[in-house]
Amino acid sequence: MKANKLWNFEYNAPILGIEVVDINNNEQLEIIAFTKTGKLLFISLDGKLLHQEVISENSPLWHMRIHDIDNDGRYEIIVGGIDGIVRIFKCTFAYNLEPLWTHKFNSSISGILIEDINNDNINELIIFSLDKTLRVLNSLDGKLIWAQIFEDGIGDAIVFKNNKKSTSKEVLACGNDGTIRCYDGKDGNLLWFKKYSEKLRVITYMNRIKEILVLSGGDDKKLHFINKTTQNEINTLQFNNYVWNCVSYPFPILNNVLVSSYSFAFFDESTLIQNIEFTSKLVCLNESFEIKWELNGYNIEFLKIIKINNTLLIIAGTTKGELLIIEEQTGKVKFYKNFNSCINMSQVCIEKRLLFSCHDDGTIMAYKFQKI
């Protein structure tokens, strides 16, 4: 895959994430970026800053979701950050934000999910936090529908959909207390519970022919494969570093998984990050737990699977600033760039053949593929 650089946008603070969407119905796509200083940036596809809004003064925004919550044809922007406040806005034609509601947690927001979790034909927000709570909120007014509490902060959560009984949904969550918990999506009742000795950072599930597996891992450097029905662990995969990302695919089959490990070796400031030889890696597994391929030496910050022309590709961004597009079947790196600053997120606009990445040094890079 070949791509030409279009432009780079420079800002005075780390850019933690980006989305590409027509945010104000002007029939033009915009880049919406969120920053470590608590601002939202609205940027044109040719790299011009259109508008910026202060959301939480000098307080990082960790998460942003853009979704038409109320089905009125206009997107809402949902953001949550270190201050523990979840905020939801509509965006005017002039890119000004109109606040709809806020909901306060007692610590940093760890994740935001959007799903009709209780089958009332309205999408709810499933939000989890380091304040030990997982809460399901009414997306229209922010009111609490149900909540559950862990012994420590919650690191990751997903919505489980039983394909054989599509109306039944559950929330699977894992936490810093080493627990995995499964809740009934309708009322939040605890269905089952499993505990490990170390912090769990990621959770997903995998469909096999005869069983459904819950996959979770973290600071014990293992990926655990757990039978969802019996809660018995049936397999583990050992890593040299923390288990950091875990993604099952393709939807809705979900019979393969990507898992990456993560090293904090860069915390040693005596060594330049570009000189560190990371021992972390990315592994692709099939439903028989066989390793299809693995890439070694990459400390992955961001991982995403996209589909182009019926072909699955993996986008990965690393601590060193390496951007990779990987062929899912073989693990072959089809595209590689090194930007020398940590990549926090990357997005592809398939229709326009555009690739964007945002970085810790406040840069957004834009490339255009010759073909895609």
Side-chain angles (χ1 to χ4, degrees):
M1 299 178 74
K2 295 182 178 180
N4 300 317
K5 180 182 174 182
L6 294 180
W7 50 261
N8 63 284
F9 172 88
E10 296 181 359
Y11 192 67
N12 60 6
I15 296 178
L16 303 182
I18 52 175
E19 294 290 346
V20 182
V21 68
D22 179 4
I23 193 61
N24 59 353
N25 287 358
N26 66 350
E27 299 185 352
Q28 295 181 11
L29 294 173
E30 295 88 16
I31 302 165
I32 298 90
F34 56 99
T35 75
K36 198 171 182 178
T37 52
K39 292 182 180 178
L40 286 182
L41 311 178
F42 299 81
I43 302 162
S44 67
L45 288 192
D46 58 1
K48 304 267 190 321
L49 180 64
L50 302 170
H51 185 69
Q52 58 182 312
E53 290 267 358
V54 177
I55 306 301
S56 53
E57 186 74 44
N58 293 320
S59 179
L61 299 172
W62 293 137
H63 300 277
M64 177 179 71
R65 297 295 306 273
I66 296 177
H67 196 89
D68 182 7
I69 291 288
D70 53 10
N71 295 314
D72 68 347
R74 295 175 60 195
Y75 286 115
E76 284 77 45
I77 301 175
I78 306 107
V79 290
I82 201 170
D83 64 2
I85 302 175
V86 177
R87 300 170 171 92
I88 184 167
F89 304 93
K90 280 191 180 294
C91 185
T92 70
F93 194 81
Y95 303 106
N96 295 306
L97 296 183
E98 299 174 343
L100 298 182
W101 53 260
T102 63
H103 187 100
K104 181 73 169 68
F105 288 70
N106 293 320
S107 189
S108 178
I109 303 301
S110 298
I112 300 172
L113 307 175
I114 301 173
E115 184 75 37
D116 179 9
I117 192 66
N118 55 6
N119 297 310
D120 62 355
N121 296 316
I122 299 174
N123 281 321
E124 285 77 41
L125 300 182
I126 303 103
I127 305 175
F128 44 103
S129 166
L130 292 182
D131 76 352
K132 308 177 186 180
T133 65
L134 183 148
R135 309 183 195 185
V136 176
L137 306 179
N138 184 307
S139 61
L140 303 181
D141 57 19
K143 292 182 179 179
L144 183 69
I145 296 175
W146 61 260
Q148 284 284 5
I149 189 167
F150 277 55
E151 295 173 9
D152 205 340
I154 301 169
D156 194 17
I158 58 168
V159 174
F160 170 77
K161 306 174 188 178
N162 191 330
N163 293 330
K164 295 179 181 179
K165 189 180 179 183
S166 60
T167 59
S168 174
K169 296 176 184 176
E170 299 166 3
V171 177
L172 291 164
C174 65
N176 295 348
D177 58 3
T179 62
I180 298 171
R181 307 185 191 213
C182 181
Y183 301 108
D184 187 300
K186 188 172 184 179
D187 53 22
N189 284 338
L190 180 65
L191 300 177
W192 57 266
F193 172 102
K194 191 174 183 69
K195 185 171 177 60
Y196 289 91
S197 60
E198 300 282 345
K199 177 190 293 188
L200 294 173
R201 296 177 180 267
V202 292
I203 192 166
T204 189
Y205 69 93
M206 172 189 280
N207 292 317
R208 302 183 81 197
I209 295 175
K210 295 183 179 180
E211 61 190 348
I212 298 170
L213 301 181
V214 176
L215 282 61
S216 188
D219 290 11
D220 65 358
K221 303 177 183 179
K222 296 177 182 177
L223 181 66
H224 302 274
F225 298 80
I226 302 155
N227 183 295
K228 185 178 181 295
T229 302
T230 66
Q231 292 87 59
N232 292 327
E233 182 172 290
I234 65 170
N235 203 358
T236 60
L237 182 63
Q238 182 71 55
F239 289 84
N240 292 326
N241 300 283
Y242 294 159
V243 176
W244 197 256
N245 286 294
C246 192
V247 181
S248 53
Y249 72 95
F251 185 82
I253 302 170
L254 301 179
N255 63 347
N256 290 269
V257 66
L258 293 171
V259 55
S260 67
S261 59
Y262 191 88
S263 168
F264 287 98
F266 61 93
F267 276 18
D268 180 2
E269 297 181 357
S270 65
T271 304
L272 291 175
I273 192 168
Q274 298 302 325
N275 294 334
I276 296 173
E277 295 294 331
F278 283 107
T279 57
S280 38
K281 61 184 177 180
L282 174 65
V283 178
C284 181
L285 300 168
N286 63 22
E287 62 180 304
S288 299
F289 313 131
E290 296 168 336
I291 296 177
K292 294 169 61 175
W293 51 262
E294 64 181 59
L295 289 176
N296 293 288
Y298 294 105
N299 209 51
I300 293 174
E301 301 281 349
F302 173 78
L303 190 65
K304 183 178 182 178
I305 302 172
I306 62 172
K307 188 175 184 179
I308 300 178
N309 299 327
N310 294 317
T311 300
L312 292 178
L313 297 172
I314 299 157
I315 305 177
T318 77
T319 308
K320 283 187 175 183
E322 302 152 302
L323 181 61
L324 303 93
I325 298 181
I326 305 159
E327 190 175 68
E328 181 273 335
Q329 281 293 320
T330 64
K332 181 180 179 181
V333 177
K334 306 284 288 183
F335 178 84
Y336 177 91
K337 290 287 182 182
N338 192 342
F339 299 106
N340 296 318
S341 177
C342 176
I343 295 178
N344 292 317
M345 190 177 288
S346 181
Q347 300 289 0
V348 172
C349 180
I350 297 172
E351 298 81 4
K352 295 183 178 292
R353 308 198 313 275
L354 296 174
L355 170 69
F356 304 99
S357 61
C358 65
H359 303 257
D360 246 13
D361 64 359
T363 301
I364 297 176
M365 306 296 298
Y367 280 77
K368 184 161 188 174
F369 291 102
Q370 294 179 10
K371 62 180 181 178
I372 195 168

